[in-house]
Amino acid sequence: MNEISATELMKTISSDEEIAIVDIREKGHFGLEHLLHAANIPFSEFEPGILLQVPRRTTRIVLIDGIDSVAPRAEERLRELGYVTIDRLTGGVDAWRDAGGEVFIGEDVTPKAFGEIIEEELHTPALNPQDVAALIGKGEDVVILDGRTWPEHQGVSIPGSISVPNGELLLRLPDLVKDPQTTVVVTCAGRTRSIIGAQTLINAGVENPVYALRGGTQAWRMAGLSLHNGSTNRFAEVTPEGAARAEAFANDLRRKTDIPDIAQADVERIAAEGQRNLYRLDVRTREEFDDGHIAGSVHAPGGQLVQGVIRWCAVRKGLLVLIDSAPFVRAVSAAHWLRQMGYDARVLQGGVAGATAQVVQDDPPPAIPSLTSVAQIDADHARRLHGGKVLTIDVGASMDYRHSHIAGAVWAIRPRLEAVSALVRQADSIIVYSAVAARALLFAADLKRLFPDRDVCVLDGGLSAWVAAGGEVETTPHAPPDEACIDYLFWAHDRQKGNDAATLQYFNWEHGLPNQINRDGTSEFRILK
């Protein structure tokens, strides 16, 4: 494997070369320290992740690993998939830091820093929870729009708020808020999506008074205000009148930010030339995507795409083709932010309806050669095998294992497969399972490589199928121990459990991101004034 030094990588990042910096450590290790432009594709789910996030096989890939030293294994998998230019950062994150590089904590750092800078430079109006509660208490005309995903909103929300994920805000607002005097408050769990959601409406020229809720649901709770569980408040279908008004807002954004279209023929030409990483990103709702989408496109709802673009696109210099349905408001809304973040984002002319490519409901899974030899069994078969000299291995998320797993199953993770080697040698058969099928299949394939004489199979449907078949489960709240849970980021995690100190720590981290971004010096933000 070729090695690249930290100083060489610093020069490459600032060039026009398409490069993918891929940190293959698990989420817990990545979240504690990483490079700004590193995409986290954990080795546990490496092959499907790399195919999604680095589609061009001739892209230069720089791998970053850590104490588990999985880069050589990752290189083998990359070669099998047809990738040809693979480097490894010598010394990993420690070498980067020693060379004067900035190191970041947390996840989705670039979009969160971008949100903070947007608030600083554009002075996004914001209200404290107490102010919003007081307006509601006085009977003022106020609507609270929750810019998070639907499952997040259902989990916990501000009473009376409506779920309108940020990518849908501009399209759905005209039908939700008909009076231009109504005060609109955009909220999320913390800060970023509140800021971006509110500023989206302001940038588009919405007449209403628009504010971000400062600190979102977490600040609402800290203010002693009640939260709601199980909300059913969600946006409705778009009316023709609402669509026309939303399109006018989107056209205003187009004029301000010069968002280009791209024809389907040009997309196909660029794909055929193979000189750029091409991302076909469908920004509509999951229901619309499942009902029919352009073959080869992936679902990337606009709000979440802006919030975590590197989860879809590991190559900053790639071409992002945003796919929508008329009147293309969601694609324009997302593109106007992505372009300000430095991405080449364009709106597909004609969207899904105008596509010359095949429109499908399902795409075949990516071809991963090593998985063809992995056998799958159903839950009834697994129950018949269970016990005796059969080893059952849960390779899903460590926190999910703590909550519930097949009785007697052990937990393991792909980078540390050797931890269960002794148990594998003692077993006649091994059953591997996970809620994420790829994790189980990849782990099982690795087991087959190391132990070709063992009968290794994957439980189709994972724990859900096991439970449905009447299989026994158990809970282990403290196993695996914290130090083994390298797939979980413990940093500030207690903010989700109502811990005020952890919440303040998280808010302070977000406030400090712009200074870190400035020190790093490699971002390409172009803020619309």
Side-chain angles (χ1 to χ4, degrees):
M1 179 184 298
N2 295 325
E3 297 279 336
I4 183 173
S5 70
T7 53
E8 290 174 309
L9 182 56
M10 288 175 183
K11 295 175 184 176
T12 305
I13 287 175
S14 301
S15 73
D16 291 330
E17 179 184 357
E18 281 198 358
I19 183 173
I21 304 171
V22 180
D23 194 319
I24 56 178
R25 296 174 299 163
E26 299 302 307
K27 180 180 176 180
H29 286 173
F30 173 85
L32 289 178
E33 52 174 12
H34 62 268
L35 280 60
L36 177 63
H37 300 297
N40 185 210
I41 308 179
F43 189 60
S44 288
E45 301 175 27
F46 182 63
E47 289 91 321
I50 202 76
L51 290 170
L52 169 70
Q53 293 182 244
V54 189
R56 184 169 67 88
R57 308 297 171 91
T58 53
T59 305
R60 184 181 184 185
I61 295 175
V62 177
L63 297 175
I64 301 175
D65 65 359
I67 60 174
D68 294 308
S69 301
V70 292
R73 293 167 63 188
E75 183 191 20
E76 290 179 8
R77 305 290 82 79
L78 287 170
R79 301 286 183 198
E80 289 176 358
L81 294 171
Y83 291 90
V84 294
T85 308
I86 306 163
D87 297 326
R88 174 179 174 272
L89 176 60
T90 305
V93 176
D94 289 340
W96 179 264
R97 185 192 297 104
D98 292 343
E102 193 71 17
V103 174
F104 292 80
I105 195 171
E107 301 174 283
D108 300 324
V109 168
T110 296
K112 290 180 184 294
F114 180 73
E116 296 297 320
I117 293 169
I118 287 294
E119 184 186 49
E120 285 184 6
E121 297 203 10
L122 302 185
H123 309 292
T124 306
L127 292 173
N128 290 321
Q130 298 90 331
D131 299 327
V132 176
L135 290 174
I136 295 171
K138 293 176 184 176
E140 299 285 343
D141 187 8
V142 179
V143 61
I144 303 175
L145 305 180
D146 190 336
R148 301 173 299 162
T149 65
W150 173 236
E152 288 178 285
H153 177 81
Q154 285 183 301
V156 63
S157 62
I158 294 170
S161 62
I162 305 169
S163 174
V164 193
N166 269 3
E168 302 287 327
L169 266 177
L170 196 57
L171 176 63
R172 311 286 176 171
L173 183 82
D175 287 314
L176 291 170
V177 183
K178 299 184 183 297
D179 186 343
Q181 302 302 314
T182 301
T183 297
V184 176
V185 179
V186 181
T187 185
C188 66
R191 294 181 49 79
T192 310
R193 285 176 284 183
S194 299
I195 295 166
I196 293 297
Q199 196 63 52
T200 297
L201 302 180
I202 293 168
N203 286 357
V206 169
E207 307 95 323
N208 298 73
V210 177
Y211 299 90
L213 178 63
R214 190 174 285 117
T217 57
Q218 293 183 68
W220 187 273
R221 174 190 54 75
M222 291 174 67
L225 299 167
S226 64
L227 291 168
H228 179 62
N229 302 107
S231 170
T232 58
N233 294 337
R234 193 181 189 189
F235 62 80
E237 292 298 316
V238 178
T239 65
E241 297 78 15
R245 190 167 167 225
E247 185 175 22
F249 289 137
N251 288 337
D252 196 29
L253 275 185
R254 280 183 184 268
R255 287 190 293 270
K256 290 174 180 175
T257 51
D258 193 26
I259 299 168
D261 283 343
I262 185 168
Q264 180 71 36
D266 290 329
V267 174
E268 297 306 322
R269 174 182 55 78
I270 292 168
E273 291 171 349
Q275 299 302 307
R276 294 192 71 179
N277 277 281
L278 176 65
Y279 299 96
R280 297 178 175 91
L281 305 169
D282 193 316
V283 299
R284 301 173 300 157
T285 65
R286 168 56 72 177
E287 293 85 355
E288 290 172 282
F289 180 81
D290 289 343
D291 192 47
H293 58 270
I294 296 174
S297 63
V298 298
H299 184 231
Q304 292 305 105
L305 178 61
V306 172
Q307 175 78 3
V309 59
I310 203 167
R311 297 174 184 236
W312 282 271
C313 313
V315 182
R316 275 196 303 155
K317 305 293 183 180
L319 173 61
L320 281 58
V321 177
L322 305 190
I323 303 168
D324 197 359
S325 299
F328 312 111
V329 175
R330 294 168 291 193
V332 170
S333 177
H336 115 277
W337 286 125
L338 291 167
R339 294 183 70 81
Q340 291 180 73
M341 291 168 64
Y343 287 88
D344 184 3
R346 310 182 195 183
V347 176
L348 181 65
Q349 287 179 8
V352 177
T356 55
Q358 182 183 10
V359 174
V360 299
Q361 290 182 316
D362 294 296
D363 290 286
I368 301 173
S370 62
L371 303 187
T372 57
S373 63
V374 178
Q376 297 191 56
I377 61 173
D378 62 25
D380 289 332
H381 187 181
R383 289 189 67 197
R384 289 194 296 271
L385 288 176
H386 191 56
K389 297 199 72 175
V390 175
L391 173 65
T392 304
I393 307 176
D394 185 322
V395 298
S398 56
M399 295 300 121
D400 289 345
Y401 177 90
R402 285 183 174 185
H403 180 259
S404 181
H405 56 266
I406 292 175
V410 300
W411 181 78
I413 195 164
R414 191 185 186 195
R416 296 180 175 178
L417 182 151
E418 68 278 359
V420 293
S421 293
L423 295 174
V424 170
R425 291 188 183 95
Q426 296 168 14
D428 292 333
S429 300
I430 298 96
I431 301 172
V432 180
Y433 75 92
S434 169
V436 179
R439 292 175 71 104
L441 291 166
L442 295 170
F443 190 99
D446 283 0
L447 268 184
K448 293 279 287 183
R449 289 187 187 94
L450 288 175
F451 302 97
D453 60 331
R454 290 296 187 273
D455 179 20
V456 180
C457 57
V458 167
L459 170 57
D460 188 20
L463 183 63
S464 297
W466 176 265
V467 171
E472 184 182 354
V473 299
E474 62 184 359
T475 299
T476 53
H478 303 293
D482 287 358
E483 60 270 17
C485 300
I486 61 175
D487 63 325
Y488 185 75
L489 180 59
F490 285 95
W491 174 77
H493 72 290
D494 279 348
R495 67 191 176 90
Q496 306 290 1
K497 302 177 181 178
N499 184 310
D500 288 357
T503 300
L504 290 173
Q505 179 189 15
Y506 187 82
F507 286 163
N508 289 334
W509 165 72
E510 288 187 308
H511 284 304
L513 284 175
N515 287 335
Q516 270 201 285
I517 290 287
N518 289 335
R519 290 197 301 269
D520 179 84
T522 60
S523 67
E524 298 178 350
F525 296 161
R526 300 186 294 268
I527 308 302
L528 168 70
K529 298 294 184 182

